[in-house]
Amino acid sequence: MLEMRKDIFADERDDNLNVIGKGLQRQDAPGHVTGRTRYFDDHAFEGMLHLKVVRSPHAHARIRSIDISAAERAPGVKRVLRGADVPVNKNTLLSLINFGKDDEPTLAVDKVRYKGEPVVAILADSEAQALAARKLVRIDYEPLPTVFDVEEALKPGAPVVNETYPGNYFEYHERFDHQKLRFGDVERAFSGADIVMEHRYQMSPIEHAPTETNGTIAAPEQNGRFVVHSCAQGLFFALGTTAKIVDVESNRLHFIGGTVGGGFGGKVDSLTEPLAVLGAMLTGKPVRFVLDREEEMLYGSPRGAERIYIKDGVMRDGRIVARYIRSYFDAGAYTRLSSYAAIKCTAHVPGPYWIPNVASDIYVAYTNRCPSTAMRGFGVTAVDFALEVQMDRLAEAASMDPMEFRILNAYRDGDMKPHRRAAKNTALVECVQVAAEKANWPLSEQAKRQSSLTGGAGERGQIPATTVDTKGQIGRPETRTGTATQTLPAGTARIPLSKQPVMEGARDGRAAPTQVPRYEPARPAAAATPAYAPPPYQPASPPAAPSYQPAPPPVSAPASPAQTQHGAVRFSSVFGTRRR
């Protein structure tokens, strides 16, 4: 466990939090309010060229031919770039940490997979000349079938959006079709619950709308290096991505940034840096590539749309005994950061609540939409919204006050999370109590006496026997409705870490493990007895019979938990790590 070294970092953090409520001035505030702050577009270079891209008018189409001859002869045009001019014309953002496959071209070559995908780049003496030449490019397209719904995209026979992932789903570690979590026996808990409720939540894509649009200025230096002024939120990611795409050593690129005119996650994808640097390399002149407002709104990566199904089992006294979450991230045509968002979502299930039986299946689906990216807590924000709306509905169904319902189900220190880690530093109970006080919301004396420090550990801190299933085999969509096949014994603390399992033989063209599964023996857990064990929770008044009558399960209801091909519970809070 990491702890702050007070002797070394005494001047960097004051645990007394003595800055709260004080009007302290930000270091960059004077420059912002006086207009002296220099952004990337405040750097002028003599003879600077302007880059504009020709974008696809189709959401999905085959490129039959590209004619750039008229554009090359247009006034002021210095160079016209096509996919063949890009040294490494396929990339994925997280390839820098060896996560995922390269799937996105800088300039499309054979196909376009979303409306607005870049196909040709024009470099001209002025922005007006680049825009005029852009209209002279002739591209012959053959429109192809499209898919815009995440669940439709995952059905057999759906149009293939991204050939790198022909099933239209991101492949985790090249063998799993989604992120998966299993804890306890969810179906058995549902069968014994007094109330079972399931709801669907749909989030829309959201554009970041920064005041400063995405843009870059790249210029050659005398020593074979290039200086790059960028508004990237992740400057080292932008540098590494650019060096890979233009195929140069990263020490030849001098990236300057840190001042961002609004980003919120929308400036992590390196939308402009690679082409600006490539243009400077091929022309020997400074190049400015800036998205205009229309491009930023239509083709800058949005927050991805998410579809979330939550099914809960609740007892009449308000205890949630089972939760199943099935979620779909709309990656758009290419991966970018959606694969990481699904990992974060899985890490957050089931929210800040202790539930003894939890399961989730989180998919990343490819559609013919603009690729999505990060935005303010992506992977967590949407599922949090869905969970809290669901909590209000559950409280109503159990005839309980929604504040007291949350206090009843909140984590206490020592509770076992579905990720097989003990909860600590929990504070939801106290947060709800303070919020209720500030809002003059009446709470029962029993609820006011609750504490996050007591009531956890003990039986709540143990790992239950867990049913695993065959869902998620790559190339086998039918296994998403697989039946339960094995149960992990109670106390199985974790699945051994392994980069590559021991393999022997093959199955469906893929290697199969010699043993299915192999688990670590249970670890003896020290008995944890809280200093104070509260009496069973009683609401302010006896609950009446719930007015809510759960609807019959839908035809496509989530399948019962069952076991993976290799017996792995697939969750990781760190890139590239798989618990086996």
Side-chain angles (χ1 to χ4, degrees):
M1 183 176 67
L2 297 177
E3 294 288 348
M4 179 67 73
R5 287 287 305 277
K6 302 294 171 50
D7 55 329
I8 298 176
F9 300 105
D11 297 331
E12 297 191 19
R13 192 180 81 172
D14 189 334
D15 287 342
N16 294 321
L17 301 177
N18 58 7
V19 299
I20 293 179
K22 295 183 178 180
L24 298 181
Q25 182 174 286
R26 286 173 50 112
Q27 293 180 349
D28 55 3
H32 290 350
V33 300
T34 61
R36 291 187 174 92
T37 300
R38 288 172 66 85
Y39 295 86
F40 85 91
D41 215 12
D42 290 324
H43 297 83
F45 291 88
E46 185 178 356
M48 185 168 65
L49 302 180
H50 296 261
L51 187 151
K52 291 294 179 181
V53 296
V54 179
R55 298 182 179 275
S56 164
H58 301 283
H60 197 197
R62 184 171 289 108
I63 299 175
R64 289 171 172 163
S65 64
I66 302 175
D67 184 357
I68 61 173
S69 56
E72 289 178 315
R73 296 192 301 268
V77 173
K78 300 303 181 185
R79 188 72 185 251
V80 179
L81 305 181
R82 295 177 53 178
D85 297 309
V86 183
V88 180
N89 194 30
K90 192 172 271 192
N91 180 60
T92 191
L93 182 64
L94 297 181
S95 65
L96 297 176
I97 50 177
N98 299 316
F99 190 78
K101 306 173 186 178
D102 290 335
D103 66 340
E104 182 173 5
T106 301
L107 293 174
V109 178
D110 55 341
K111 286 176 61 177
V112 290
R113 297 170 179 86
Y114 68 95
K115 186 176 181 179
E117 181 165 2
V119 183
V120 174
I122 309 287
L123 293 102
D125 289 328
S126 71
E127 190 171 15
Q129 289 171 328
L131 290 171
R134 187 170 67 174
K135 298 178 181 178
L136 301 177
V137 175
R138 297 291 179 261
I139 304 176
D140 183 18
Y141 294 101
E142 177 190 347
L144 298 172
T146 56
V147 60
F148 297 105
D149 183 88
V150 285
E151 292 183 83
E152 293 297 323
L154 295 179
K155 291 181 179 179
V160 175
V161 175
N162 184 338
E163 286 74 12
T164 304
Y165 298 103
N168 287 342
Y169 48 79
F170 181 81
E171 298 176 7
Y172 285 90
H173 314 293
E174 300 186 1
R175 65 183 63 250
F176 313 130
D177 70 359
H178 69 291
Q179 283 286 306
K180 175 177 181 176
L181 180 66
R182 296 292 184 268
F183 186 72
D185 192 334
V186 173
E187 288 305 310
R188 183 177 179 182
F190 278 137
S191 65
D194 295 322
I195 304 167
V196 176
M197 179 188 294
E198 182 173 9
H199 283 284
R200 173 184 183 270
Y201 301 89
Q202 178 66 53
M203 316 302 166
S204 298
I206 302 174
E207 160 58 24
H208 308 76
T211 303
E212 171 197 54
T213 62
N214 274 273
T216 302
I217 294 176
E221 293 185 329
Q222 296 299 319
N223 54 2
R225 300 178 71 203
F226 297 85
V227 61
V228 185
H229 294 279
S230 168
C231 62
Q233 289 181 254
L235 205 62
F236 283 95
F237 256 112
L239 189 156
T241 296
T242 302
K244 173 185 173 181
I245 291 173
V246 301
D247 195 22
V248 300
E249 296 84 358
S250 59
N251 61 9
R252 289 180 58 193
L253 302 178
H254 177 198
F255 267 62
I256 300 174
T259 303
V260 181
F264 326 114
K267 292 180 178 176
V268 299
D269 291 345
S270 302
L271 299 181
T272 57
E273 289 84 358
L275 281 179
V277 172
L278 180 59
M281 292 174 61
L282 296 177
T283 64
K285 293 189 175 185
V287 172
R288 174 181 180 270
F289 180 19
V290 182
L291 302 189
D292 60 32
R293 181 56 60 184
E294 180 181 9
E295 289 178 304
E296 181 72 41
M297 294 295 290
L298 295 178
Y299 316 125
S301 303
R303 179 198 290 275
E306 299 175 40
R307 181 173 300 164
I308 302 167
Y309 295 88
I310 305 178
K311 181 179 179 182
D312 284 317
V314 186
M315 306 308 292
R316 294 194 186 280
D317 62 1
R319 291 176 298 112
I320 306 174
V321 294
R323 172 163 286 172
Y324 176 73
I325 296 179
R326 189 171 87 254
S327 179
Y328 302 88
F329 281 82
D330 190 341
Y334 301 109
T335 306
R336 297 198 185 170
L337 284 168
S338 293
S339 55
Y340 174 45
I343 292 175
K344 290 176 64 181
C345 181
T346 306
H348 194 64
V349 171
Y353 304 106
W354 182 75
I355 303 174
N357 303 280
V358 177
S360 70
D361 294 300
I362 315 297
Y363 295 87
V364 173
Y366 297 98
T367 65
N368 293 114
R369 297 181 183 273
C370 179
S372 57
T373 191
M375 185 179 183
R376 292 299 189 192
F378 71 115
V380 174
T381 310
V383 74
D384 252 350
F385 166 79
L387 287 173
E388 293 308 317
V389 174
Q390 184 85 350
M391 291 295 287
D392 285 341
R393 286 171 159 166
L394 293 173
E396 181 180 0
S399 298
M400 282 190 66
D401 176 272
M403 292 284 207
E404 300 201 8
F405 183 72
R406 285 170 168 81
I407 290 175
L408 170 61
N409 288 286
Y411 274 136
R412 270 71 169 176
D413 282 0
D415 285 342
M416 183 57 61
K417 297 181 177 181
H419 313 101
R420 294 166 175 78
R421 296 290 185 270
K424 61 181 181 179
N425 299 323
T426 59
L428 179 59
V429 171
E430 289 73 17
C431 287
V432 173
Q433 290 168 340
V434 171
E437 180 183 0
K438 298 291 185 183
N440 295 318
W441 189 285
L443 292 179
S444 67
E445 290 303 315
Q446 175 79 1
K448 291 178 181 178
R449 290 195 299 269
Q450 296 298 303
S451 169
S452 294
L453 299 177
T454 58
E459 184 178 349
R460 289 171 54 134
Q462 304 305 310
I463 299 173
T466 297
T467 303
V468 293
D469 57 49
T470 57
K471 293 182 180 179
Q473 298 177 31
I474 288 294
R476 296 174 61 100
E478 67 274 12
T479 63
R480 294 175 194 151
T481 58
T483 56
T485 58
Q486 187 167 353
T487 300
L488 299 182
T492 303
R494 68 182 177 93
I495 299 173
L497 291 170
S498 172
K499 286 288 185 182
Q500 294 293 334
V502 178
M503 297 293 181
E504 180 179 297
R507 180 184 304 168
D508 299 330
R510 289 180 176 270
T514 56
Q515 297 179 10
V516 183
R518 295 183 298 169
Y519 296 101
E520 285 185 347
R523 298 178 180 179
T529 305
Y532 168 73
Y537 181 87
Q538 295 293 332
S541 59
S547 58
Y548 174 83
Q549 294 299 325
V555 176
S556 58
S560 58
Q563 152 150 338
T564 64
Q565 180 181 1
H566 48 78
V569 176
R570 297 190 307 288
F571 159 72
S572 170
S573 59
V574 180
F575 289 128
T577 301
R578 176 171 75 254
R579 297 196 176 100
R580 294 188 50 77

